[in-house]
Amino acid sequence: MSEGERARLMEEVEEKKKLIANIRNKPWRMKRRLKHLKEAQLFVDKFEGALGKGKGRKLYAYKVMMMKKWIKFQRDFENFKTACIPWERKIKEVESHFGSSVASYFIFLRWMYGMNLVLFSLTFGLVVIPEVLMGLPYGSIPRKTVPREEQDTAMDYSVLTDFNGYCKYSVLFYGYYNNQRTIGFLKFRLPLSYLMVGIGTFGYSLMVVIRTMAKNADVGGGDGEDSEFTFAWKMFTSWDYLIGNAETADNKYASITTSFKESIVDEQENQKDENIHLRRFLRVLANFLITCTLGGSGYLIYFVVKRSQEFANRDDLGWYEKNELEIIMSLLGLVGPMLFETIAELEEYHPRIALKWQLGRIFALFLGNLYTFLLALFDEVNAKLEEEKDIKNASIWFMKEYFANFTANNPNETGTPPPIEPADVIRGPCWETTVGIEFVKLTISDIQVTYLTILIGDFLRALIVRFLNYCWCWDLEAGWPSYGEFDISGNVLGLVFNQGMIWMGSFYAPGLVGINVLRLLTSMYYQCWAVMACNVPHERVFKASKSNNFYMGLLLLILFLSLLPVVYTIMSLPPSFDCGPFSGKERMFDVIIETIELDLPSFLGTLFSYAANPGLIIPAILLMVLAIYYLNSVSEAYKNANNELKKKMQMLNKKRKQHRKGPL
């Protein structure tokens, strides 16, 4: 084969390959497409290999072979990545029966599980494991030893369930960690690592949430809700003819049926006529009732907090008095969403809009409860700081008396007196561990209430409806109590609220992140089982918006609000004098200043001092604000231009249709 023939044949092969790749876009009938496709494939198979024959032309054949193998590898790797997505089949099964709105909750849960796994790795890899492997062992110092007066009851079940006893003096909580500047043969700086992990937890979470929001943003400028021929496309293109499994076919059938229901609801909402004045009155009334409910919830929390402060000075408390605050907050989180959902029936919003309103109201309820809880904790912290001053003076006096008595009782001893047993040393209140215990108790209480609600409110209700419907006076499925619907807004806000507690509490209780990972892991299996076995689809099925960043917006807000108490603790409150990695310092952030002064060259310390100058910080903040404003303005301009272009394309499409309908 001459060079000219070879070049011509190679060009024809490339043209046939392009035809194979783009044959779907050709405006041909299916019969013609199949004919040209077969001819092109036969031509490529026949002559592509021939181009590689002859001396000096093996490289081309090798490239063709490697390209085919690379394409096959990419296809197999994409299939492998899809198979490795956790719980993908479970979520697809839920989506096929309950719609994309319910499935969006489980996708959100899976995303939060992945984020918490990274936080768990940071906390345990850089804080807990170094302290366990290289730090002082349990019982060697007072902060790692149960006091003598508590040792008899330190392993009682009632004490451990309150996270006292051995739980309190373990790696779960802040007070266990020592203030040694370096530990182990690696000279690991644990106090610095503890502070940087606490800050890095918020930094990583902020980066991931913002990145996810940017990825979910609708670049096209719309959700595709204005597309034409919606029902025709669903009718003729929804079925997957590659399905060969009976169960998968049933799921696909349920998915198509649910998709039609979603589109019908959207179409009905767009064409609905209503009495605007009556609708406004009912919506004002609903918001008034919800405002009263929020105010009552805040007052109840305030009342319970005051009672808990009175109970703190008593020793004859029962189980309810000890856990009253956690029980009331969990019950408010359980009853509040159901009450809001009942009141929201007056408004008759579109289901997607109603869901956002419901999420916002429950978020306000949870946020008010959380910050009331925080204010109560900080009141208790201030009281413990005052108590700590007296205990610190008493401990210093105790040490002096001990050494004086030892010298007086042993005048012949000239060596150093033996150290005091760690269990006998006077302890301070260690307010950081107290705060951590409250967050852990609140998290455990929330888990118990959530799981018991599913077990009693959904599973037991479904059993009653299923087995007593045949012998009851009325139809239990159609009337009361009927099967339960999956509460999207309550479950989403429960996740967001719980994550806010994890962000705040993990600084005072490093083990809280591990508890949350176990909670999310069990929740995925438990709630997937509950929704498939006990719940029925919503009466008004609707689809989740493609550009819906509402969940992430709530998570970003709770992240910012969770950051404030931790920053206040680090910058303003003095750490406990006898527990935790920052004991002996005026403020927690002093560990950074100590590292700069002792470990870094002097010129770097000078640079940091200049960088901390308010004269540089304030202009930098103003510059960032201006940059954010500029980027937001550019984004709005692009969005408006995109909308205008979309309108022009629609007008052009209408003109073309009118031109086609004109006289021939």
Side-chain angles (χ1 to χ4, degrees):
M1 186 182 300
S2 64
E3 291 296 330
E5 291 176 348
R6 180 173 172 275
R8 179 181 56 79
L9 190 58
M10 188 181 298
E11 185 177 352
E12 291 182 8
V13 169
E14 293 298 328
E15 289 180 358
K16 296 295 184 181
K17 284 185 176 180
K18 290 180 181 178
L19 178 62
I20 293 172
N22 301 321
I23 198 163
R24 292 183 180 179
N25 302 328
K26 298 292 184 181
W28 297 340
R29 292 181 179 275
M30 185 59 70
K31 186 176 181 181
R32 186 180 176 188
R33 288 185 185 181
L34 291 175
K35 179 182 176 182
H36 284 78
L37 179 62
K38 289 180 180 179
E39 291 177 354
Q41 287 177 342
L42 289 173
F43 186 87
V44 170
D45 292 340
K46 181 177 180 181
F47 293 104
E48 189 177 28
L51 292 174
K53 294 181 180 179
K55 188 177 180 180
R57 298 188 178 93
K58 293 183 180 180
L59 181 61
Y60 180 78
Y62 178 75
K63 288 182 178 179
V64 171
M65 181 187 67
M66 293 306 296
M67 183 60 67
K68 289 183 178 181
K69 290 185 178 294
W70 174 246
I71 292 173
K72 184 178 183 301
F73 171 76
Q74 286 182 319
R75 185 171 63 250
D76 294 340
F77 186 68
E78 289 296 328
N79 294 335
F80 174 74
K81 287 197 300 183
T82 303
C84 289
I85 298 176
W87 306 300
E88 184 69 10
R89 291 186 62 186
K90 286 182 176 293
I91 295 175
K92 289 296 183 184
E93 185 179 4
V94 170
E95 183 177 9
S96 65
H97 285 84
F98 293 89
S100 55
S101 56
V102 177
S104 65
Y105 164 76
F106 290 98
I107 293 173
F108 185 57
L109 173 61
R110 180 176 63 188
W111 180 87
M112 291 190 65
Y113 176 74
M115 182 185 68
N116 279 273
L117 270 182
V118 177
L119 300 183
F120 173 80
S121 302
L122 284 175
T123 304
F124 272 69
L126 297 177
V127 175
V128 177
I129 299 301
E131 178 66 29
V132 172
L133 296 180
M134 296 183 286
L136 297 175
Y138 175 83
S140 56
I141 54 177
R143 70 186 66 188
K144 297 187 177 186
T145 309
V146 178
R148 186 78 64 186
E149 62 272 13
E150 299 179 14
Q151 288 183 356
D152 294 337
T153 59
M155 282 296 290
D156 291 353
Y157 178 76
S158 59
V159 174
L160 294 177
T161 53
D162 286 335
F163 293 96
N164 289 311
Y166 284 104
C167 284
K168 182 177 180 181
Y169 300 94
S170 67
V171 293
L172 286 176
F173 297 106
Y174 168 94
Y176 181 85
Y177 298 89
N178 198 9
N179 62 343
Q180 288 177 281
R181 188 164 174 270
T182 59
I183 58 174
F185 65 94
L186 296 177
K187 302 297 181 182
F188 186 81
R189 291 172 173 79
L190 183 68
L192 180 64
S193 177
Y194 195 103
L195 182 63
M196 297 309 295
V197 167
I199 298 173
T201 296
F202 288 98
Y204 172 78
S205 303
L206 183 64
M207 179 186 68
V208 171
V209 171
I210 293 178
R211 181 185 176 188
T212 306
M213 291 182 69
K215 187 183 296 184
N216 291 343
D218 188 9
V219 181
D223 292 340
E225 296 174 356
D226 297 330
S227 60
E228 300 176 348
F229 314 117
T230 303
F231 294 100
W233 282 113
K234 290 183 182 295
M235 174 66 72
F236 295 109
T237 63
S238 295
W239 188 255
D240 185 359
Y241 290 94
L242 297 178
I243 292 176
N245 181 269
E247 184 179 357
T248 307
D250 292 339
N251 289 344
K252 186 63 177 177
Y253 175 79
S255 176
I256 295 172
T257 306
T258 303
S259 176
F260 269 101
K261 290 180 181 180
E262 293 173 347
S263 299
I264 290 171
V265 169
D266 285 343
E267 195 70 23
Q268 289 175 347
E269 290 293 329
N270 292 333
Q271 299 178 359
K272 185 171 64 176
D273 296 328
E274 60 182 12
N275 187 341
I276 188 64
H277 300 292
L278 177 61
R279 186 63 52 234
R280 287 175 179 173
F281 170 75
L282 291 177
R283 288 175 180 175
V284 169
L285 177 62
N287 283 283
F288 174 75
L289 294 176
I290 288 172
T291 303
C292 293
T293 305
L294 291 174
S297 172
Y299 176 77
L300 180 60
I301 292 291
Y302 177 78
F303 176 74
V304 172
V305 166
K306 289 299 181 183
R307 277 170 55 91
S308 66
Q309 292 175 354
E310 295 175 2
F311 290 159
N313 300 322
R314 292 171 49 185
D315 297 329
D316 56 337
L317 298 178
W319 176 84
Y320 174 77
E321 285 82 3
K322 291 180 180 178
N323 301 278
E324 184 181 39
L325 181 60
E326 290 79 13
I327 293 173
I328 294 298
M329 291 187 68
S330 299
L331 289 178
L332 283 175
L334 176 64
V335 176
M338 294 188 292
L339 184 60
F340 290 164
E341 188 172 358
T342 304
I343 297 174
E345 294 292 332
L346 298 173
E347 298 174 313
E348 293 189 3
Y349 281 121
H350 182 279
R352 194 182 303 121
I353 300 174
L355 175 61
K356 290 185 178 181
W357 275 99
Q358 181 78 343
L359 287 171
R361 289 160 179 168
I362 301 174
F363 183 77
L365 173 69
F366 284 170
L367 193 62
N369 294 347
L370 182 60
Y371 262 76
T372 306
F373 175 71
L374 282 177
L375 291 176
L377 283 183
F378 277 114
D379 287 342
E380 186 176 357
V381 166
N382 292 329
K384 289 187 177 297
L385 287 175
E386 294 296 327
E387 178 186 353
E388 190 174 75
K389 295 178 182 178
D390 299 333
I391 295 179
K392 184 177 181 180
N393 295 330
S395 62
I396 294 173
W397 176 84
F398 175 77
M399 294 295 292
K400 291 181 178 179
E401 287 293 319
Y402 170 76
F403 288 118
N405 292 334
F406 181 84
T407 304
N409 295 330
N410 302 277
N412 298 325
E413 293 286 340
T414 58
T416 304
I420 306 174
E421 286 293 326
D424 298 325
V425 176
I426 299 176
R427 310 290 177 84
C430 195
W431 62 266
E432 296 93 344
T433 296
T434 303
V435 173
I437 290 175
E438 292 297 328
F439 274 107
V440 172
K441 289 171 64 177
L442 194 59
T443 302
I444 297 298
S445 174
D446 183 62
I447 295 173
Q448 292 172 347
V449 170
T450 301
Y451 287 7
L452 286 176
T453 302
I454 294 174
L455 188 62
I456 298 174
D458 289 336
F459 181 67
L460 186 60
R461 176 180 174 181
L463 285 179
I464 292 173
V465 174
R466 174 69 178 83
F467 293 104
L468 297 183
N469 192 33
Y470 302 104
C471 57
W472 206 256
C473 304
W474 63 84
D475 189 354
L476 296 179
E477 293 186 6
W480 187 85
S482 72
Y483 290 106
E485 296 179 352
F486 186 76
D487 183 13
I488 303 173
S489 55
N491 282 283
V492 168
L493 265 297
L495 276 181
V496 173
F497 175 69
N498 177 75
Q499 188 60 42
M501 290 192 296
I502 300 303
W503 278 325
M504 277 189 283
S506 61
F507 187 79
Y508 312 102
L512 189 59
V513 184
I515 295 174
N516 191 48
V517 169
L518 293 177
R519 179 246 174 94
L520 294 174
L521 180 64
T522 55
S523 290
M524 176 59 75
Y525 291 102
Y526 189 53
Q527 289 187 297
C528 274
W529 164 79
V531 73
M532 293 298 296
C534 310
N535 295 137
V536 293
H538 291 74
E539 292 183 5
R540 303 180 71 194
V541 183
F542 61 97
K543 61 183 176 182
S545 175
K546 295 178 184 177
S547 62
N548 188 9
N549 270 329
F550 197 71
Y551 296 168
M552 292 298 165
L554 293 178
L555 195 63
L556 183 62
L557 180 58
I558 199 70
L559 172 60
F560 174 73
L561 295 175
S562 303
L563 177 63
L564 297 180
V566 178
V567 171
Y568 174 75
T569 298
I570 294 174
M571 302 301 294
S572 301
L573 295 180
S576 298
F577 75 96
D578 63 342
C579 70
F582 311 111
S583 56
K585 296 180 174 57
E586 292 293 327
R587 296 290 185 271
M588 293 182 181
F589 68 89
D590 287 347
V591 68
I592 298 179
I593 300 175
E594 180 185 63
T595 303
I596 292 173
E597 292 177 350
L598 299 179
D599 297 333
L600 297 180
S602 58
F603 74 91
L604 288 179
T606 306
L607 289 178
F608 278 111
S609 64
Y610 287 152
N613 191 337
L616 292 177
I617 294 176
I618 294 175
I621 294 176
L622 292 177
L623 182 61
M624 286 191 294
V625 170
L626 291 175
I628 293 172
Y629 175 76
Y630 169 74
L631 293 175
N632 185 49
S633 301
V634 172
S635 175
E636 290 292 331
Y638 280 130
K639 185 177 180 180
N640 294 333
N642 197 6
N643 291 333
E644 290 296 328
L645 182 60
K646 187 177 180 180
K647 291 178 181 178
K648 289 180 181 179
M649 292 178 67
Q650 291 176 349
M651 291 293 294
L652 182 60
N653 192 19
K654 289 180 180 179
K655 288 181 180 179
R656 287 179 177 176
K657 289 181 180 179
Q658 292 174 358
H659 180 71
R660 290 175 182 175
K661 292 179 181 179
L664 298 175

